[in-house]
Amino acid sequence: MIEDAFPRNLHPYWPKLQEGTRSWLLEKRLMPADKVAKYADGLCYTDLMAGYYIGAPDDVLAAICDYSAWFFVWDDRHDRDVIHGRTASWRRLAVQLHAATEAPHLHLNHADPVVAGFAESVSRLYGSLSRTWNARFARHFHVVIDAYDQEFHNRITGTVPTVDEYIALRRNTFAHWIWLDLLEPAAQLELPAWVRKNESFQRAALACQDFAAWYNDLCSLPKELAGDELHNLGISLIKHEGLSLREAVAEVRRRVEGTIEEFLVAEAEVERLAIATENIGAHGKELAKALRLCVGNMRNWFSSVYWFHHESGRYAVDSWDDRATPPYVSDDETTGHPDQVGECA
């Protein structure tokens, strides 16, 4: 379905992105040199973003890629804090990230590489559009931090969320609205609220992000079952709906396919909106062009996510010595901010 209906695209700046983000991870001490050399390119993190934000200026795409790589690091830090019971470390990090979201320039030299790396990448993103866009991005990321905190609480208390609770939480831990916000600097135009809040636009946006989150759940289910994880659509279906593993996989797959169908319908509706927008005022054609670019990149999210999950070394669970511990993390429980790189699931 994906290979036929969603041709794969890759930003022409991708080779430079790969090189740049690899160097950035080292410079910001987010990943040890030996693991950068052995795993960074094979994890395909830059491939994921370079397949999504087509048309973005090179410097904007570089900032997005570094931020995305940081997000993977942060996600894995969260996972290791849970596994080693580092509650105080996690709480401290969450508070620091909330502060850095509001004033990244004040945290560029923070002692914790995860905080400093976040501050540096976000400060570059904040220079892309207006203060209004910065404030929206910040509001959305505060919600992401709080959602990660809720997931931390669920895991240390052994709480598997219901299906509906999980879907709502996943939309925030996956940072749906962050990746959608970043469509605008990629298009070099801040969309007006009446466009962003248009029903068809929102349906297309939610469909592409739900696809990404649930396809990730489908591909990461073996790893997460091995690691006693509690947050996966399949796990919630097994726990609360009484489904077998086979039935849960089939149901997640059904929902994934539903997001594809939903997007295709909404995409056609947004094109009608773009046609109407062309005739609105002096800047109608410019806005319509940006709208089409944003929805085109929502479309790219399907192929980029699909190929990422089939090519990234982070899903090669059967080749790991310990199926619960990815080989590209430094599983060090003696420090509150270990140098490591992780993933978004």
Side-chain angles (χ1 to χ4, degrees):
M1 183 180 286
I2 293 295
E3 292 178 20
D4 290 343
F6 297 84
R8 189 181 192 182
N9 294 301
L10 199 62
H11 197 289
Y13 194 57
W14 168 73
K16 292 290 186 181
L17 286 172
Q18 195 174 49
E19 178 183 337
T21 295
R22 191 190 316 130
S23 298
W24 186 80
L25 288 167
L26 285 171
E27 177 190 343
K28 298 303 175 185
R29 298 183 295 121
L30 290 167
M31 188 176 184
D34 62 330
K35 293 189 182 294
V36 168
K38 190 171 183 179
Y39 297 112
D41 290 352
L43 290 170
C44 299
Y45 293 156
T46 54
D47 303 43
L48 178 62
M49 294 295 112
Y52 184 17
Y53 296 102
I54 305 298
D58 293 351
D59 60 336
V60 171
L61 186 58
I64 291 173
C65 277
D66 290 349
Y67 170 76
S68 174
W70 171 85
F71 204 108
F72 291 135
V73 174
W74 177 52
D75 184 84
D76 200 63
R77 164 79 168 270
H78 174 268
D79 179 63
R80 296 295 104 182
D81 279 353
V82 170
I83 288 172
H84 296 303
R86 298 191 294 241
T87 302
S89 171
W90 165 252
R91 303 293 184 208
R92 180 170 58 252
L93 177 59
V95 169
Q96 292 166 342
L97 290 176
H98 275 302
T101 300
E102 291 299 321
H105 61 285
L106 298 180
H107 296 80
L108 295 173
N109 298 311
H110 198 282
D112 187 335
V114 172
V115 179
F118 170 77
E120 198 277 336
S121 62
V122 169
S123 66
R124 288 152 63 198
L125 295 173
Y126 280 1
S128 303
L129 294 174
S130 71
R131 291 184 179 180
T132 301
W133 184 90
N134 295 354
R136 174 162 34 107
F137 183 97
R139 285 197 307 273
H140 288 160
F141 195 72
H142 285 308
V143 172
V144 174
I145 298 169
D146 289 342
Y148 263 77
D149 194 52
Q150 179 62 53
E151 185 174 298
F152 189 97
H153 174 77
N154 287 350
R155 290 181 66 183
I156 63 175
T157 59
T159 303
V160 177
T162 66
V163 172
D164 288 344
E165 290 170 343
Y166 172 75
I167 289 172
L169 182 64
R170 181 63 160 153
R171 285 171 175 167
N172 290 326
T173 57
F174 197 83
H176 279 26
W177 317 119
I178 292 292
W179 307 120
L180 295 168
D181 286 338
L182 290 169
L183 290 169
E184 293 166 72
Q188 302 179 73
L189 193 144
E190 190 170 337
L191 297 177
W194 65 266
V195 171
R196 288 186 287 104
K197 295 181 180 181
N198 174 272
E199 181 186 1
S200 298
F201 184 88
Q202 289 199 330
R203 283 170 44 223
L206 190 60
C208 80
Q209 293 300 301
D210 278 347
F211 167 82
W214 298 346
Y215 194 73
N216 180 276
D217 281 2
L218 195 62
C219 294
S220 62
L221 185 57
K223 173 180 68 68
E224 292 179 346
L225 287 171
D228 294 324
E229 188 26 302
L230 307 178
H231 295 86
N232 185 293
L233 182 54
I235 292 172
S236 288
L237 287 164
I238 292 169
K239 173 69 175 180
H240 294 287
E241 305 293 332
L243 274 60
S244 67
L245 176 58
R246 182 183 295 274
E247 290 169 338
V249 168
E251 175 61 15
V252 175
R253 182 185 178 93
R254 184 189 70 79
R255 294 184 185 226
V256 167
E257 292 175 348
T259 65
I260 300 170
E261 295 163 0
E262 173 71 8
F263 176 80
L264 292 173
V265 172
E267 180 187 40
E269 294 174 1
V270 175
E271 173 55 26
R272 290 194 286 273
L273 175 65
I275 292 171
T277 301
E278 289 178 331
N279 299 314
I280 299 176
H283 301 288
K285 292 187 183 301
E286 179 186 17
L287 177 55
K289 179 181 177 181
L291 175 56
R292 289 188 173 104
L293 183 57
C294 288
V295 176
N297 281 336
M298 291 179 194
R299 162 175 275 275
N300 285 332
W301 204 218
F302 289 88
S303 60
S304 191
V305 166
Y306 173 83
W307 288 108
F308 170 70
H309 284 84
H310 290 280
E311 294 176 350
S312 174
R314 53 169 271 83
Y315 295 101
V317 179
D318 291 336
S319 67
W320 301 351
D321 293 335
D322 177 358
R323 289 168 60 90
T325 306
Y328 45 84
V329 302
S330 295
D331 194 22
D332 182 359
E333 61 178 314
T334 64
T335 174
H337 44 83
D339 289 335
Q340 58 194 23
V341 68
E343 31 76 17
C344 278

